Amino acid sequence: MTDARSGLTRRRAVSLIGTAALALTSSASLAARPKLVYDLMPVQVADGVWMIEGTTEYFTNENGGAIVNCALIETDTGMVIVDTGPSLRYGEALAQIAAQMSVSGVAAIFNTHHHPDHYFGNQVFADKPIYALPGTRTAALRDGDGFSDNMYRLLGDWMRGTEPVPPNQGISSSTVSIGKREFVIYPLEGHTGADLAVLDKKTGTLITGDLAFLDRAPTTPSADLGKWGESIDLLTTVNAAAIIPGHGPFDKTGRSLVQTKDYLEWIEETLQTAAGEGLSMVELMDSTIPKRFVKMGAMPQEFHRSVSHLYPDIERKILPLSSQ
Ligand SMILES: [Zn+2]
């Protein structure tokens, strides 16, 4: 309740600040203001499959939160979109692209999970089937207003008018057909409590959501590292022709799964060792990051965020053992 109320207040505040700024700004400096337009570039990666690649940074006013990968898949009943981006404005840009690609526009949406960069564009597609795991809908209803507050704080005017719209179709089957195109459903967890991976049966393209990252540090605010590792093991057995990871470039070799698993194991081991040695959070954040991870996007910020999310719990588990 508090979240919802403060969310509305913040949204109104952002819009009021916008109006005040507009009134005070001369037309000359208005021209210098960056246009809040997403420049989305779909790239064809397989037969009837396009990927829109996000930047590998953290959310900034410059990138407007366009840090996520989205997929567009052609069917005889229109385009299927996997993940809808961080804002109403982003969803509108996606709808425009889909309308250019198919006379039928958008047939259906999949949301891989409930993090805001993956579903806050849903508002534009509220009258379409928006498929997700049932746990994703529950989590979106629980966390949507809190996430919204945070996104308005980080992205300001990019978020104008955005309201979180949860998915409206819970998936309980192992496949979903849209028109004549069939999608194999992998109901997994670990990055969040409900993570959907979708395989396009026609091309073998696997869309992993945030179960796989590539050359961008994985995010862990809702993570269970053990379960995440098991989910990656399962996705490895799919032997996909190629992977569209949640963040980072198109992956033709499965490197995203290997790299994400390697990173998660390193995080867990590093945090456990630090807790055993009684390091403080600040000392841990100063740790040397291995060469193979140091050039990932959003490093070291994402490592620092992971320490703050995960370390208190690991310390609690390790400390009683080491004092026995
Ligand atoms: Zn995520």
Side-chain angles (χ1 to χ4, degrees):
M1 282 297 266
T2 318
D3 276 342
R5 227 176 296 136
S6 61
L8 283 174
T9 311
R10 181 155 297 137
R11 264 161 259 166
R12 202 169 302 128
V14 167
S15 124
L16 286 173
I17 291 164
T19 313
L22 212 64
L24 292 170
T25 315
S26 73
S27 55
S29 57
L30 254 183
R33 288 178 70 199
K35 272 195 205 156
L36 302 185
V37 177
Y38 291 106
D39 192 15
L40 305 185
M41 312 255 273
V43 172
Q44 186 160 13
V45 292
D47 182 11
V49 182
W50 287 262
M51 171 175 169
I52 295 172
E53 187 177 338
T55 160
T56 54
E57 304 153 350
Y58 190 58
F59 299 113
T60 67
N61 230 317
E62 285 68 43
N63 64 38
I67 65 169
V68 68
N69 291 340
C70 299
L72 294 111
I73 301 130
E74 190 174 38
T75 77
D76 52 314
T77 55
M79 302 303 291
V80 172
I81 299 179
V82 185
D83 287 340
T84 57
S87 62
L88 168 66
R89 204 184 289 262
Y90 190 104
E92 287 169 347
L94 275 178
Q96 214 169 21
I97 287 170
Q100 285 162 8
M101 292 173 118
S102 164
V103 285
S104 310
V106 173
I109 304 288
F110 284 104
N111 289 151
T112 57
H113 63 295
H114 82 293
H115 283 159
D117 47 330
H118 294 260
Y119 88 94
F120 271 25
N122 278 7
Q123 205 172 344
V124 178
F125 310 105
D127 60 337
K128 311 282 181 196
I130 304 177
Y131 293 98
L133 298 176
T136 297
R137 178 177 162 79
T138 309
L141 287 166
R142 182 192 64 214
D143 297 339
D145 283 328
F147 283 152
S148 177
D149 270 7
N150 200 31
M151 294 292 275
Y152 272 82
R153 187 175 57 75
L154 291 166
L155 300 175
D157 217 18
W158 284 99
M159 298 298 293
R160 187 190 289 256
T162 306
E163 297 284 346
V165 171
N168 55 29
Q169 300 279 322
I171 305 173
S172 53
S173 51
S174 58
T175 61
V176 169
S177 291
I178 297 163
K180 292 185 186 121
R181 202 145 187 162
E182 194 178 8
F183 298 91
V184 182
I185 299 299
Y186 295 94
L188 299 167
E189 60 183 325
H191 173 69
T192 68
D195 293 298
L196 170 68
V198 180
L199 179 77
D200 169 43
K201 216 169 170 184
K202 183 175 176 186
T203 63
T205 309
L206 179 66
I207 302 154
T208 62
D210 284 359
L211 289 168
F213 285 67
L214 185 55
D215 299 336
R216 200 275 185 201
T219 62
T220 58
S222 328
D224 178 321
L225 300 182
K227 286 179 178 165
W228 192 342
E230 286 168 23
S231 293
I232 291 176
D233 289 345
L234 190 139
L235 290 178
T236 305
T237 66
V238 171
N239 287 320
I243 292 173
I244 297 180
H247 299 262
F250 186 60
D251 175 16
K252 290 180 191 160
T253 63
R255 198 162 69 85
S256 57
L257 294 173
V258 175
Q259 189 186 71
T260 305
K261 182 113 193 263
D262 185 17
Y263 182 83
L264 298 177
E265 285 172 354
W266 168 70
I267 286 264
E268 190 160 28
E269 198 186 307
T270 303
L271 270 53
Q272 279 178 354
T273 306
E277 291 170 357
L279 292 192
S280 71
M281 208 180 258
V282 175
E283 287 170 318
L284 174 53
M285 284 185 188
D286 270 347
S287 311
T288 309
I289 291 166
K291 247 187 181 166
R292 63 192 192 280
F293 302 135
V294 93
K295 284 192 179 153
M296 284 175 151
M299 266 301 207
Q301 298 90 332
E302 213 58 74
F303 171 63
H304 294 166
R305 289 179 75 222
S306 290
V307 169
S308 64
H309 300 141
L310 302 171
Y311 197 48
D313 202 38
I314 289 183
E315 269 184 313
R316 259 193 304 276
K317 282 180 193 153
I318 296 274
L319 283 178
L321 289 174
S322 54
S323 61
Q324 273 172 10

